[in-house]
Amino acid sequence: DTPYAYCNSSTFVYLLNLVAFSLLGFGAAVIWSAQGGYINSISPKGDSGKYFGIFFSIFMCSALLGNAIPTIIFRFFTLQAHFIIMTLVGFFALVLFFWIPDTSTSTNEEDKKKGLLEEEASPLRREATVSESIHQMFIIAQEDSVKPWLYYMLLSGWITAFNYGFLYKLVGKCFPEDIPSAELGYKIAQMFVFLSFGQLIFPMLTGKSIDKDGSWVTARKFLILCLLIFGLSLLCIFSRSYLLILLLGFICGASDGSIQTLISTMISKDFSGKLELYGLFRSINATSTAIGFIIPIICESVTDLFIPCLLGAYILYAGKKTRQYLQV
């Protein structure tokens, strides 16, 4: 009975979740780094913003469906049924990977004309070991042209942590403490549906802006969008209005979809052939996301104003660095 009892204990379930999430993070790191290089390899020169925008819009569409499903499941099914359904959906997505075309051996004349194979000549792509690629990644990060973008890579992770940490808790503070957990879960799922709509719409707009105006002009537009998050966050804290939180969720989703598209397209357009930047981006994104989740835990007793003010201060700092780079 002892092993059975331990397997059903909260400690075992918690540890099992930690292992599962660690494996999930490892797999996501590999997929996201490969995704950047793959979209880059199939994007015609000058149109990479459009292709990355399409990808992230489709990706965020899946997030919209994923957030909409719980609003139905929580009404008619149990939490266990929710995990079973989403596991089946994940397995179906895994099967689809077998139908992804392989572009690594493409040598047709059309690809050569578009310049899609220029990265293939790089020894870093075909011959470098993992340690050499990591070393090259840090060398690229020290380049003057890359350094300003590191602030945006950090910001991308903090926005993710803000969306799924602070914003999540903010919904709960709009309702009485005795609200049923199922009802609160439904309200949170509704907010994430609005967030997903922003994630769905703005990647395409961001991609078009990059193709038309360039990366840095689009980056400055993005910072304005981030300042809206700061302003709306303050309004939501003081008003406790659920409708305002839904609007904030949409703007947060828009900023998340925009910055993912912005940085991925920037790497493709402005740093062609330096595919290690995709790995650098995902490493910084993961690290800043983790820090963004840890800060509220450490500062749990601090006022709700601390997190949005910290985010707002960093946005202004990143904007200052952007302006200095443009002046140079």
Side-chain angles (χ1 to χ4, degrees):
D1 292 341
T2 302
Y4 178 80
Y6 180 74
C7 290
N8 285 276
S9 67
S10 59
T11 302
F12 176 78
V13 173
Y14 178 71
L15 293 175
L16 185 62
N17 274 300
L18 289 181
V19 174
F21 284 128
S22 298
L23 293 174
L24 177 64
F26 177 79
V30 175
I31 290 175
W32 274 116
S33 298
Q35 169 269 330
Y38 186 85
I39 301 298
N40 177 72
S41 69
I42 64 174
S43 302
K45 296 302 176 182
D47 259 349
S48 55
K50 174 183 176 181
Y51 277 68
F52 276 102
I54 291 173
F55 168 81
F56 280 106
S57 289
I58 295 175
F59 171 74
M60 299 306 178
C61 182
S62 66
L64 173 61
L65 294 176
N67 288 318
I69 288 175
T71 63
I72 300 174
I73 294 178
F74 288 149
R75 288 293 186 180
F76 304 103
F77 300 97
T78 63
L79 183 62
Q80 185 179 13
H82 172 236
F83 282 109
I84 293 174
I85 292 173
M86 298 311 295
T87 300
L88 293 174
V89 171
F91 179 77
F92 176 72
L94 177 64
V95 172
L96 291 179
F97 270 92
F98 290 100
W99 277 270
I100 295 180
D102 181 12
T103 62
S104 62
T105 57
S106 176
T107 56
N108 61 66
E109 292 299 323
E110 183 180 355
D111 284 348
K112 291 180 180 179
K113 290 179 181 179
K114 292 177 180 178
L116 295 178
L117 299 180
E118 64 179 15
E119 292 89 356
E120 294 292 328
S122 173
L124 288 173
R125 180 165 182 176
R126 287 190 175 276
E127 301 175 4
T129 64
V130 174
S131 60
E132 289 172 341
S133 296
I134 294 175
H135 178 68
Q136 182 66 19
M137 185 175 69
F138 282 105
I139 291 177
I140 294 175
Q142 298 175 29
E143 296 181 5
D144 291 338
S145 57
V146 175
K147 286 180 180 179
W149 285 110
L150 300 181
Y151 298 102
Y152 288 86
M153 294 179 185
L154 278 170
L155 184 57
S156 68
W158 287 359
I159 289 176
T160 300
F162 184 89
N163 291 351
Y164 297 98
F166 177 80
L167 195 57
Y168 174 89
K169 294 181 178 179
L170 196 57
V171 175
K173 295 184 179 181
C174 291
F175 302 98
E177 293 184 0
D178 58 350
I179 182 175
S181 58
E183 183 67 20
L184 179 60
Y186 177 73
K187 295 294 185 183
I188 292 174
Q190 278 186 323
M191 185 275 297
F192 279 118
V193 168
F194 275 80
L195 183 141
S196 299
F197 270 117
Q199 292 174 323
L200 172 64
I201 295 171
F202 273 75
M204 283 293 296
L205 298 177
T206 303
K208 290 182 179 179
S209 176
I210 296 173
D211 287 338
K212 180 182 177 181
D213 302 322
S215 301
W216 279 112
V217 174
T218 306
R220 300 186 76 174
K221 294 178 183 178
F222 166 76
L223 289 179
I224 295 175
L225 191 65
C226 289
L227 289 176
L228 284 177
I229 295 177
F230 171 66
L232 281 173
S233 297
L234 297 182
L235 287 176
C236 290
I237 290 172
F238 289 111
S239 68
R240 306 292 184 182
S241 169
Y242 181 63
L243 291 178
L244 272 180
I245 289 181
L246 293 180
L247 176 60
L248 175 60
F250 177 81
I251 299 298
C252 287
S255 64
D256 187 23
S258 293
I259 196 166
Q260 298 292 336
T261 307
L262 171 63
I263 297 177
S264 296
T265 308
M266 173 275 299
I267 295 173
S268 176
K269 278 181 170 291
D270 301 343
F271 300 95
S272 179
K274 298 181 179 179
L275 299 183
E276 290 79 9
L277 271 176
Y278 290 110
L280 177 66
F281 168 38
R282 292 303 165 184
S283 298
I284 294 176
N285 175 271
T287 303
S288 59
T289 300
I291 294 173
F293 280 122
I294 292 172
I295 289 177
I297 297 175
I298 298 176
C299 307
E300 189 174 2
S301 60
V302 180
T303 175
D304 292 337
L305 291 172
F306 176 73
I307 299 299
C309 286
L310 182 64
L311 179 64
Y314 184 81
I315 291 169
L316 293 175
Y317 179 75
K320 178 182 178 182
K321 289 295 182 179
T322 301
R323 186 169 60 253
Q324 290 177 349
Y325 177 78
L326 289 175
Q327 289 175 348
V328 174

